[in-house]
Structure formats: structure tokens, C-alpha cells
């Protein structure tokens, strides 16, 4: 089992910034794809960004490119999501996910991941 614990969510004005953190513990693997998803009320869970912890390759949803940055610290099993120039449409529960392979599915598909955190709420009032 892998436990994922997110933190850093808050309510912030449009144009502001937040940094989310996700700490992985338990049965972690040296090769994991870590991702951030978000879910707003009455909307499907959507992929925001992902990073491979073995080669640093990243992927982003088109809606966040140029504003969000995902990064990982393998020494502490932590993945970060730096969010700049936040917009009201970024509001939602941000949830951390881990794909421990050995076959890595499409990064944007929730079904590719085998561990999930509880989430941290981000609110950007309009």
C-alpha cells in the first residue's frame, strides 16, 4: 500500500499563486509516475499534470500549460504543484495519484493510477 497525503490548498484571489505538496509513504517504488488531478462539483476528475520520478518527464493539461509546474523530490518522496496566475476555473479538489507500473498507462487517465490521496481544496473566487 502507498499512502499519499496532500497539503497546501487554500482560497486565493484570481491571479494569485499556491504550491501544493503530496508526500508518498509506505510501499513506494523507485519508478513511479506521480500526478495531480482535480475535481470540481458535478464535473469529472481531470488530469492536471504528471511527472515520472525516474527521468523527470512531465505532462500538462492544455488549460494549465505555462501557469502550473510539477516537480518531485525523490529524496523525500514528495511531489509539488506550483500554481501561478490562478483562475476561477482552477477551483476544485486537487488529488495526488501514483502509478507504480510496471506498465504505465496514459498519464491523463485516472484508471492508470493505483493509489490516490484524499485531496486538498483550492478555491479561486470569481
Amino acid at each position: 500500500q502507498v499512502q499519499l497525503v496532500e497539503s497546501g490548498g487554500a482560497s486565493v484571489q484570481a491571479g494569485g499563486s499556491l504550491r501544493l505538496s503530496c508526500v508518498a509513504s509506505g510501499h513506494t517504488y523507485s519508478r513511479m509516475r506521480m500526478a495531480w488531478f482535480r475535481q470540481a462539483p458535478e464535473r469529472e476528475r481531470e488530469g492536471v499534470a504528471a511527472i515520472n520520478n525516474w527521468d523527470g518527464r512531465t505532462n500538462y493539461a492544455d488549460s494549465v500549460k505555462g501557469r502550473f509546474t510539477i516537480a518531485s523530490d525523490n529524496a523525500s518522496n514528495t511531489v509539488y504543484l506550483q500554481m501561478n496566475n490562478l483562475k476561477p476555473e482552477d477551483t476544485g479538489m486537487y488529488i495526488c495519484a501514483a502509478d507504480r507500473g510496471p506498465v504505465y498507462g496514459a498519464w491523463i487517465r485516472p484508471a492508470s493510477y493505483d493509489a490516490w490521496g484524499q485531496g486538498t481544496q483550492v478555491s479561486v473566487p470569481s
Side-chain angles (χ1 to χ4, degrees), residues 36 38 46-50 58-68 107-108:
W36 287 96
R38 67 187 178 192
E46 63 171 335
V48 175
T58 59
N59 287 283
Y60 294 93
D62 288 344
S63 60
V64 307
K65 283 180 181 177
R67 300 188 298 122
F68 291 11
W107 78 269
I108 206 166

Side-chain angles (χ1 to χ4, degrees), residues 46-114:
E46 63 171 335
V48 175
I51 186 167
N52 299 341
N53 74 352
W54 65 92
D55 64 9
R57 179 176 179 178
T58 59
N59 287 283
Y60 294 93
D62 288 344
S63 60
V64 307
K65 283 180 181 177
R67 300 188 298 122
F68 291 11
T69 303
I70 190 170
S72 66
D73 178 353
N74 291 345
S76 63
N77 284 327
T78 303
V79 62
Y80 302 97
L81 185 67
Q82 178 66 43
M83 305 186 295
N84 298 328
N85 190 20
L86 282 160
K87 303 177 181 181
E89 53 263 41
D90 295 319
T91 294
M93 182 69 75
Y94 282 70
I95 307 163
C96 181
D99 179 355
R100 296 177 292 171
V103 177
Y104 299 90
W107 78 269
I108 206 166
R109 292 182 66 240
S112 298
Y113 298 84
D114 57 274

